[in-house]
Amino acid sequence: MSENSDQQADLMVDVVILTLNESARLCVLLTKRKEAPFEGSPALPGRYIRIDEDVDADEAAQKVLLSKTGLKQPYLEQLYTFTGRFRDARNWSASIAYFALVPMFSLSAQSDTARGYSLVPVDTVPKLPFDHNEIIAKAVDRVRGKAAYTSLPCHLLPETFTLADLQSTYEAVLGHALDKSSFRRKVDDLDFLEKVTEMRVGKHRPAQLYRIKPSRSLAFFDRTV
Amino acid sequence: MSENSDQQADLMVDVVILTLNESARLCVLLTKRKEAPFEGSPALPGRYIRIDEDVDADEAAQKVLLSKTGLKQPYLEQLYTFTGRFRDARNWSASIAYFALVPMFSLSAQSDTARGYSLVPVDTVPKLPFDHNEIIAKAVDRVRGKAAYTSLPCHLLPETFTLADLQSTYEAVLGHALDKSSFRRKVDDLDFLEKVTEMRVGKHRPAQLYRIKPSRSLAFFDRTV
DNA sequence: CGAATAGTGTCTGTGAGACATTATCTT
DNA sequence: AAGATAATGTCTCACAGACACTATTCG
């Protein structure tokens, strides 16, 4: 591949960072592009892979995530690689897309937009440059699909949470309501949560707080064969 | 990315071609490498992406598949992208891996090996160059996972087949036996097969032949939420 | 007829959904 | 006490698994 080094594909990573907003809606983080083309437009955070700095694409994606959220231990998974001559008018390019699930942002909406990024509900994403809409759609599909039979959505919650929090998170991701009793039975069967000594106190009856058992950071629901 | 064009990553596609052998075992097709490094070793079929010839990576993968099997309409799906500085000692590289499901080969074992490739059961794959063992493992995982709730394994069968064929295919992929009655109920519920007028005649009672309904080339089993 | 494969029927336990009930807090 | 949320209990229907049974071919 060295005989024609000016005829190379561009290689980059893009990261779909998903979180819940205050209304418990699933949102994607978008940055304002600082360079041409589409300077100023919102787009997915991402950058070119730097083969002298990045050991592999996972590391590059982690760095993107770290620079946007400051988080070191999020859930990060490779999603799909989008390629082709036409997805970026400048050149044949390959973007290795990742998605990340991060707990609800503690940052205020103000400082977010000040830093040039915004949280947008996944069902109201505007037209974005390149094939970024397609990338987001695929990420949401994947998370929805896995939510049906794994504990993946837990990563959208803070360290400790109530069962009601957990259920509304699943409902936000899946897009439909769940029965409380069935949901709790299933969570109980899966046995990936442990009680925390404290309770959440609020305006009404306090609720038990839980956290994910250290050993079971991604548990699988039964799947009927 | 143009300021340092001799410091680019290599970009390639590798294809895990899966099929069933005569003993109804899930097998992967391996080629003998014609170039250094590892010349003569068995390895996954693949090649560098040629940005002047391939519109996108899917097309490159299709061409690899076509050149190895002569098949034009197989099931082909992007699997995962394997990247990094160390997976190939020559350079930082990215391999966009695909997997394909193809009907049992009509080619004889003789002509296969003559052309320099071989079918190896996925549970007896020898140590391969690069990270090809890891790629195959991931492909098998993916197929197994999807087999549990989709009609994916159908693509391992010829145009028409009996329900017994279909069941043994599922059993080969999943790695365990299935109940005949339950299996047929489920297939019936899914409603992705249609009867063919002919029957398969053999040494015993003839069996009804089926084919996939044209509109339902990939059907999904129910998944319990 | 027996052997072998194709195809159908029946029973039962599990478990998800629906919904009711009890429990515990604040004001 | 009223209101709100947390947590648990009960009933039922659907369905997957187990297994038995019938059907149709060949030799």
Side-chain angles (χ1 to χ4, degrees):
Chain A
M1 218 43 190
S2 37
E3 70 278 3
N4 212 357
S5 49
D6 54 334
Q7 278 281 57
Q8 288 274 62
D10 286 344
L11 188 60
M12 61 190 80
V13 292
D14 287 309
V15 186
V16 180
I17 302 173
L18 296 172
T19 192
L20 297 177
N21 67 2
E22 325 76 43
S23 328
R25 293 224 291 171
L26 189 65
C27 292
V28 56
L29 183 144
L30 299 176
T31 59
K32 277 221 182 319
R33 281 182 63 82
K34 298 203 188 72
E35 307 135 24
F38 304 107
E39 185 176 346
S41 287
L44 289 176
R47 67 161 170 80
Y48 289 107
I49 283 181
R50 302 194 265 264
I51 67 172
D52 47 342
E53 296 175 15
D54 308 320
V55 166
D56 55 27
D58 283 15
E59 189 178 302
Q62 248 158 26
K63 287 177 186 168
V64 169
L65 187 57
L66 182 66
S67 74
K68 297 301 170 195
T69 68
L71 291 167
K72 353 105 228 349
Q73 297 291 5
Y75 183 84
L76 183 67
E77 178 180 325
Q78 191 188 303
L79 175 64
Y80 197 81
T81 298
F82 296 81
T83 63
R85 191 176 293 150
F86 303 116
R87 59 178 296 276
D88 183 334
R90 292 169 292 179
N91 193 11
W92 206 108
S93 68
S95 167
I96 307 174
Y98 284 76
F99 75 91
L101 302 184
V102 302
M104 311 181 216
F105 276 98
S106 41
L107 324 166
S108 75
Q110 322 286 21
S111 68
D112 285 3
T113 48
R115 292 189 206 177
Y117 53 91
S118 56
L119 281 182
V120 181
V122 293
D123 45 6
T124 63
V125 176
K127 176 81 184 71
L128 300 178
F130 315 115
D131 46 9
H132 286 191
N133 289 283
E134 195 189 340
I135 298 176
I136 293 170
K138 194 143 192 150
V140 172
D141 268 4
R142 176 92 126 243
V143 173
R144 254 195 244 289
K146 282 202 172 183
Y149 63 96
T150 71
S151 59
L152 197 69
C154 290
H155 299 277
L156 293 166
L157 289 165
E159 176 86 18
T160 64
F161 47 85
T162 68
L163 292 181
D165 293 339
L166 186 61
Q167 183 173 348
S168 65
T169 300
Y170 269 84
E171 290 173 338
V173 172
L174 292 172
H176 60 86
L178 297 171
D179 179 76
K180 181 162 73 167
S181 178
S182 307
F183 182 77
R184 288 174 183 231
R185 244 182 325 207
K186 201 146 202 176
V187 168
D188 199 60
D189 290 355
L190 247 172
D191 192 37
F192 67 96
L193 295 183
E194 63 185 12
K195 290 185 183 182
V196 169
T197 49
E198 312 93 63
M199 304 277 279
R200 166 168 307 171
V201 293
K203 296 179 185 295
H204 303 289
R205 174 175 172 179
Q208 180 65 54
L209 284 170
Y210 293 85
R211 70 172 162 214
I212 302 174
K213 285 189 179 178
S215 49
R216 306 291 300 275
S217 63
L218 181 62
F220 281 80
F221 286 73
D222 286 339
R223 222 192 267 181
T224 42
V225 181
Chain B
M1 220 40 192
S2 38
E3 71 279 0
N4 213 356
S5 50
D6 55 333
Q7 278 280 57
Q8 289 275 62
D10 286 345
L11 187 61
M12 61 191 80
V13 292
D14 286 309
V15 185
V16 181
I17 301 173
L18 297 172
T19 192
L20 297 177
N21 68 2
E22 325 76 43
S23 327
R25 293 225 290 171
L26 190 64
C27 293
V28 58
L29 184 145
L30 299 176
T31 59
K32 278 222 183 318
R33 281 182 62 82
K34 299 202 188 73
E35 307 134 24
F38 304 107
E39 185 177 346
S41 288
L44 288 176
R47 66 161 170 80
Y48 289 108
I49 283 182
R50 303 193 264 265
I51 67 171
D52 46 343
E53 297 175 15
D54 307 322
V55 166
D56 54 27
D58 284 16
E59 189 179 302
Q62 249 157 26
K63 288 176 185 168
V64 169
L65 187 57
L66 182 66
S67 74
K68 296 302 170 196
T69 68
L71 291 168
K72 353 109 230 335
Q73 298 290 5
Y75 184 83
L76 184 66
E77 177 179 325
Q78 190 187 303
L79 175 64
Y80 196 80
T81 299
F82 296 81
T83 63
R85 190 177 293 150
F86 302 116
R87 57 179 299 276
D88 182 334
R90 292 169 290 178
N91 193 13
W92 206 107
S93 68
S95 167
I96 307 174
Y98 285 77
F99 74 92
L101 303 184
V102 302
M104 311 179 217
F105 276 97
S106 41
L107 323 165
S108 75
Q110 320 286 21
S111 67
D112 284 5
T113 48
R115 293 190 205 176
Y117 53 92
S118 56
L119 282 182
V120 181
V122 293
D123 45 7
T124 63
V125 176
K127 175 84 182 71
L128 300 179
F130 314 114
D131 47 9
H132 285 191
N133 288 283
E134 194 188 340
I135 298 176
I136 293 170
K138 194 142 193 152
V140 173
D141 268 4
R142 173 82 66 87
V143 173
R144 255 196 244 289
K146 283 202 171 183
Y149 63 96
T150 71
S151 60
L152 196 69
C154 290
H155 299 276
L156 292 167
L157 289 165
E159 175 86 19
T160 64
F161 47 85
T162 69
L163 293 180
D165 292 339
L166 186 61
Q167 183 174 346
S168 66
T169 300
Y170 269 85
E171 289 174 339
V173 172
L174 292 171
H176 60 86
L178 298 172
D179 179 75
K180 182 163 67 165
S181 178
S182 308
F183 182 76
R184 288 174 183 233
R185 243 182 328 208
K186 202 146 201 178
V187 168
D188 199 60
D189 290 355
L190 248 171
D191 192 38
F192 67 96
L193 295 183
E194 63 185 11
K195 290 187 183 179
V196 169
T197 49
E198 311 91 66
M199 305 278 280
R200 166 168 306 172
V201 292
K203 297 180 185 295
H204 303 288
R205 173 175 173 178
Q208 180 64 54
L209 284 170
Y210 293 85
R211 71 171 162 215
I212 302 173
K213 283 189 181 179
S215 49
R216 307 289 302 275
S217 63
L218 183 61
F220 280 80
F221 286 72
D222 285 340
R223 223 192 267 179
T224 40
V225 181

